[in-house]
Amino acid sequence: EMGESYFAMDNNDMAINTFNTLVTDYPNSPYVTKAYHKLGLLYVNKNQPEEALEAYKSVIQKYPTTQEA
């Protein structure tokens, strides 16, 4: 929820840090796929297409059966 709050407040750097912590420290969390998706959006917003692509690829490769993939 912290990442979502930072995202809503347009605090992209803190949102990225929070979502990265989630996907790194809690890879089995039910929120990981949503975190990767938000990371992709945040990186697009920051004009970092390579990082956005990596986030989206992570969802597809690691969680191919999810809605976010």
Side-chain angles (χ1 to χ4, degrees):
E1 288 185 28
M2 280 180 47
E4 290 289 340
S5 296
Y6 289 129
F7 182 79
M9 293 186 308
D10 208 24
N11 189 339
N12 291 344
D13 291 333
M14 287 301 294
I16 287 170
N17 287 340
T18 303
F19 288 128
N20 273 326
T21 298
L22 174 67
V23 300
T24 302
D25 293 350
Y26 305 98
N28 297 319
S29 167
Y31 302 106
V32 168
T33 57
K34 289 178 178 29
Y36 275 121
H37 184 256
K38 290 288 185 172
L39 281 167
L41 291 173
L42 287 159
Y43 285 129
V44 167
N45 289 343
K46 289 186 64 145
N47 198 28
Q48 295 178 302
E50 292 85 15
E51 289 85 350
L53 185 59
E54 286 303 313
Y56 292 134
K57 280 183 179 179
S58 292
V59 175
I60 294 167
Q61 292 171 350
K62 295 177 183 179
Y63 311 96
T65 61
T66 63
Q67 180 179 358
E68 288 77 12

